[in-house]
Amino acid sequence: MRTLRKIQSHQVLSTSSALIAQTQASRQAGSHEADQSAATPGAATRARAHRRARSNSDAASREAAATPPANQRRPARKTGSGIGVKRSLLENLLRDGPQSSNPHEGLRELKYLVLSSRVDADGDGMSPYRIYLWLVLLNVPPMPTDDYLALIHRGRSPAYAKIRNDTFRTLATDPLFKRRVTEASLIRLLNAVAWKLHDSRPKPRSRPTTSDSAMYVQGMNVLCAPFLYAARSEVEAFALFHYFVTRECPGYIRGAMDGVHKGLRLVDRCLEVVEPKLAAYLFSKGMHAELYAFPSVLTLCACTPPLPEVLHLWDFLFAYGPHLNILCIVAQLIRMRDLIFESPSPNKILRSFPPLDAKEIIALTVLLVRKIPEDLYAEMISHAK
């Protein structure tokens, strides 16, 4: 059913020009209101006041020393929940459910609201309801906490050494991530997922084949990071991440990572379709996606800061299908087009992508969908399986 919804998303998004225009108009109106509110004395201070503490229990002691006395603390700014605070249409739908009894219509309305408006979040990208939106969009059922604890209590998995070799580098230069997520929580979650993948593997054989799912591959730590950052508990993050790597992109974590390599070839092919001159120029310089887009494909662009923009991009990808990450990468290349053409060595430009702008990338991606032939779009849907 989810594959069918992804195919339907091609039809929906390919006829969304009017929606994009409507969305931009509403955002401009909202921007005007924001400008008016910003003129009020103290508005900027209040907008910066709200900061979420870490959700992980082992972070509490580290923050205790830095917590100011109660009489010196700044009041937190509410972001859409609570008495007297107006909630967005998206939050209302998520909290109250659809007005009709048809769950398919409710899901379609929810996805439309994700596309036409952004999830309410503070400056750090934190939202009180985003994690529940992801659980609904990916159809991930609640998980008993005891099941997660049982995996934790099993101790070190066979992949533990590989995990420890990567976790300390996870988004190492991102202060938002480092402030909210501890390395210990990242290790626990990845180790628990490794145990689940270990248990699901077939009986031991004399020699494993390349089609076997690895318990851990390099890059899973970065793919896991936004789930931990957005979640309100490790159990929620575990349920989402485990579902994602086993159902949405199992080809990304197989030993040969064949799904990632298919995705890289699709980046080249989609670029040839939507921007043939740019593709020809890059190919003439020997610059294929294999050389610059591997992290972006594997991590759904989580490797490119800032993290709050990654979360907004993931809202869109979880609503209409993670396969659209291929076109999000193409959209980033198109936005870099002038710099690439002006550079005699585009490999220097493509070593690191510019900061993510989720709003612009999503709008461009929706327009690109219309140019992708159905057979190529079908390959995008299945490439990570």
Side-chain angles (χ1 to χ4, degrees):
M1 287 297 296
R2 183 159 178 81
T3 300
L4 177 60
R5 290 199 298 270
K6 289 178 181 178
I7 295 174
Q8 291 172 341
S9 74
H10 182 215
Q11 300 169 346
V12 172
L13 291 175
S14 62
T15 57
S16 296
S17 296
L19 173 60
I20 292 297
Q22 176 184 349
T23 300
Q24 292 174 341
S26 63
R27 285 172 178 164
Q28 290 173 356
S31 176
H32 178 66
E33 294 176 0
D35 291 341
Q36 291 180 334
S37 63
T40 304
T45 302
R46 290 195 301 274
R48 292 191 300 267
H50 179 68
R51 291 292 184 271
R52 280 276 303 278
R54 300 187 197 217
S55 63
N56 305 301
S57 58
D58 58 346
S61 60
R62 195 177 301 176
E63 288 193 340
T67 303
N71 60 354
Q72 297 181 12
R73 297 177 193 169
R74 292 177 296 177
R77 178 176 63 84
K78 295 182 178 180
T79 59
S81 299
I83 299 175
V85 178
K86 185 177 180 180
R87 297 199 302 259
S88 66
L89 293 175
L90 180 59
E91 185 177 1
N92 279 331
L93 178 60
L94 193 65
R95 291 169 64 97
D96 304 332
Q99 294 183 353
S100 68
S101 58
N102 189 330
H104 296 292
E105 290 183 3
L107 181 61
R108 185 163 53 248
E109 182 181 0
L110 188 66
K111 291 162 66 175
Y112 172 85
L113 289 174
V114 170
L115 181 61
S116 61
S117 62
R118 287 164 70 96
V119 170
D120 291 332
D122 63 17
D124 291 351
M126 300 311 304
S127 166
Y129 64 89
R130 168 176 276 128
I131 196 65
Y132 305 113
L133 174 68
W134 289 3
L135 289 166
V136 170
L137 291 174
L138 293 177
N139 195 25
V140 178
M143 177 182 180
T145 302
D146 287 346
D147 291 356
Y148 179 66
L149 292 177
L151 293 168
I152 299 299
H153 292 157
R154 289 174 67 174
R156 299 182 178 184
S157 70
Y160 182 80
K162 292 183 179 180
I163 292 171
R164 286 301 305 270
N165 194 45
D166 281 347
T167 50
F168 73 95
R169 293 191 290 255
T170 306
L171 303 186
T173 60
D174 193 316
L176 295 179
F177 181 76
K178 289 299 182 182
R179 186 167 67 237
R180 179 170 172 80
V181 180
T182 65
E183 184 185 1
S185 63
L186 190 60
I187 293 170
R188 284 193 297 267
L189 194 152
L190 290 170
N191 193 68
V193 170
W195 274 125
K196 287 284 286 186
L197 295 175
H198 174 273
D199 295 344
S200 65
R201 299 178 77 173
K203 297 292 184 180
R205 288 174 285 199
S206 58
R207 178 179 297 178
T209 66
T210 56
S211 64
D212 287 335
S213 291
M215 287 179 286
Y216 177 81
V217 296
Q218 191 172 27
M220 284 175 66
N221 56 316
V222 179
L223 183 60
C224 173
F227 289 111
L228 265 175
Y229 185 82
R232 301 173 73 92
S233 71
E234 284 184 29
V235 181
E236 292 173 338
F238 171 84
L240 278 163
F241 181 66
H242 179 258
Y243 170 89
F244 192 79
V245 297
T246 56
R247 300 292 297 275
E248 293 291 343
C249 60
Y252 284 10
I253 65 168
R254 279 193 282 269
M257 303 178 77
D258 54 303
V260 179
H261 293 288
K262 290 179 181 178
L264 292 167
R265 290 191 290 271
L266 284 168
V267 170
D268 285 336
R269 292 172 59 191
C270 290
L271 185 62
E272 281 187 293
V273 171
V274 302
E275 197 65 42
K277 290 184 179 179
L278 179 58
Y281 181 75
L282 287 174
F283 297 163
S284 71
K285 300 293 184 179
M287 294 299 298
H288 293 266
E290 288 273 359
L291 297 178
Y292 60 82
F294 192 96
S296 297
V297 172
L298 173 60
T299 68
L300 269 69
C301 295
C303 59
T304 305
L307 189 51
E309 292 298 303
V310 172
L311 302 181
H312 283 300
L313 187 65
W314 279 26
D315 297 336
F316 167 71
L317 293 177
F318 292 164
Y320 289 94
H323 60 282
L324 287 171
N325 180 53
I326 300 298
L327 292 183
C328 289
I329 297 171
V330 172
Q332 292 174 77
L333 293 172
I334 293 174
R335 285 169 52 81
M336 300 163 61
R337 176 175 47 198
D338 292 342
L339 285 175
I340 293 173
F341 279 135
E342 293 171 1
S343 174
S345 301
N347 59 312
K348 296 180 181 179
I349 303 295
L350 297 175
R351 284 176 185 170
S352 61
F353 284 13
L356 279 180
D357 185 332
K359 171 186 171 182
E360 298 298 329
I361 291 172
I362 291 170
L364 183 52
T365 297
V366 171
L367 296 177
L368 295 179
V369 167
R370 303 174 60 189
K371 301 181 179 181
I372 302 299
E374 290 188 6
D375 57 341
L376 182 57
Y377 195 86
E379 289 187 51
M380 286 172 49
I381 290 175
S382 62
H383 82 276
K385 302 303 183 182

